[in-house]
Amino acid sequence: MRFPAACLFDMDGVIVDSAVHHFEAWKRLADALSIPFTEKDNEALKGVSRVDSLEYILGLGHLVLDEATKVKLMDQKNAHYLRLIEGMRAKDILPGAKEFIEECKEAGVAVILGSSSRNAQMVLDNVGLAPLFDAVVDGNHITLSKPDPEVFVKGAQAMNVDPAQCVVFEDAASGVRAGKAGGFAVVGLGDEAVLGEADWVLPTMQGLTLERLCTALGWVD
Ligand code: BG6
Ligand code: MG
């Protein structure tokens, strides 16, 4: 069994189920601008940065706004989102995530966060997982949004590990693409139809072990 040098976790939709809160906050903004915006539209925003998400929604409404207005709208959306997640605690960690991360730590597998969110550190602190992470790379440290691999490449660099020996965990198509583009093995968490480009797709991390992971990836030598 060849364990990974590191596991790199996306946050929203992998560690915590925050997509519903992102949706609620974007939905209020879209409604105020009279732009039709559905949960299906929200799927395309998973893994996508705040600014690119706003541009996507404005595009749905064929709306062109000046930079100052866009900054104001993003600040409003984020303030609403922060209110929605301020009560997030350990109970909001997705099934199996904490147990698998703890197994990684015990086995000496580096644990890295690779998130597009600028709120990642706060969420990790709120749910009590921050001490388990060896490195955190988030939306404050990157210039290119997923599907660009920058966030994961920087995470691997922070721990001086080779992407080919690491596994990325992602719930978004853009994130799966980012992991593959960076040369990582990728586990998709969610719907096979959305995440089919991943090396292995699971519904959740519930019951996941390093042994199951390595077997599924063929890392058995
Ligand atoms: C990603 C989410 O993790 O972070 C996206 O999947 C979100 O939906 C992006 O837009 C940026 O998040 P934030 O917290 O910086 O607005
Ligand atoms: Mg995600």
Side-chain angles (χ1 to χ4, degrees):
M1 197 73 32
R2 179 166 55 89
F3 281 179
C7 286
L8 295 95
F9 300 90
D10 173 47
M11 185 184 72
D12 292 314
V14 168
I15 309 264
V16 289
D17 186 12
S18 47
V20 285
H21 303 312
H22 277 297
F23 175 67
E24 185 177 335
W26 283 128
K27 177 73 180 148
R28 178 191 283 186
L29 183 137
D31 286 351
L33 297 170
S34 302
I35 297 174
F37 179 61
T38 64
E39 286 203 52
K40 191 158 172 282
D41 296 321
N42 194 53
E43 192 62 36
L45 301 187
K46 287 184 180 172
V48 175
S49 70
R50 199 179 303 169
V51 63
D52 289 346
S53 300
L54 176 67
E55 294 292 0
Y56 183 89
I57 291 170
L58 295 178
L60 289 176
H62 309 288
L63 206 57
V64 178
L65 299 175
D66 61 75
E67 284 309 311
T69 308
K70 287 196 251 188
V71 169
K72 196 180 83 189
L73 292 176
M74 283 190 288
D75 287 349
Q76 283 172 0
K77 181 269 173 178
N78 196 50
H80 184 192
Y81 176 70
L82 289 178
R83 283 194 299 279
L84 294 172
I85 63 165
E86 73 184 351
M88 222 172 224
R89 293 293 177 268
K91 65 177 170 36
D92 299 301
I93 298 170
L94 282 164
K98 182 162 190 246
E99 292 75 8
F100 181 69
I101 289 169
E102 283 173 343
E103 193 200 349
C104 288
K105 294 296 289 181
E106 278 159 26
V109 175
V111 172
I112 302 170
L113 193 84
S115 167
S116 305
S117 172
R118 290 174 180 260
N119 300 306
Q121 190 64 55
M122 196 196 72
V123 173
L124 288 186
D125 288 337
N126 282 1
V127 301
L129 289 181
L132 295 179
F133 280 81
D134 297 298
V136 172
V137 181
D138 67 22
N140 298 297
H141 309 119
I142 54 171
T143 49
L144 299 166
S145 201
K146 299 170 188 176
D148 189 280
E150 182 182 11
V151 71
F152 296 129
V153 170
K154 282 201 165 153
Q157 282 169 350
M159 295 308 293
N160 202 21
V161 286
D162 176 2
Q165 293 175 26
C166 300
V167 184
V168 161
F169 291 80
E170 260 295 344
D171 71 313
S174 62
V176 169
R177 245 170 264 141
K180 294 306 294 176
F184 299 83
V186 180
V187 173
L189 296 168
D191 186 353
E192 175 98 47
V194 178
L195 307 171
E197 289 177 39
D199 297 286
W200 189 35
V201 180
L202 291 173
T204 71
M205 277 194 267
Q206 189 146 38
L208 180 64
T209 61
L210 282 167
E211 196 176 329
R212 273 188 73 203
L213 173 69
C214 293
T215 304
L217 295 176
W219 292 9
V220 288
D221 50 298

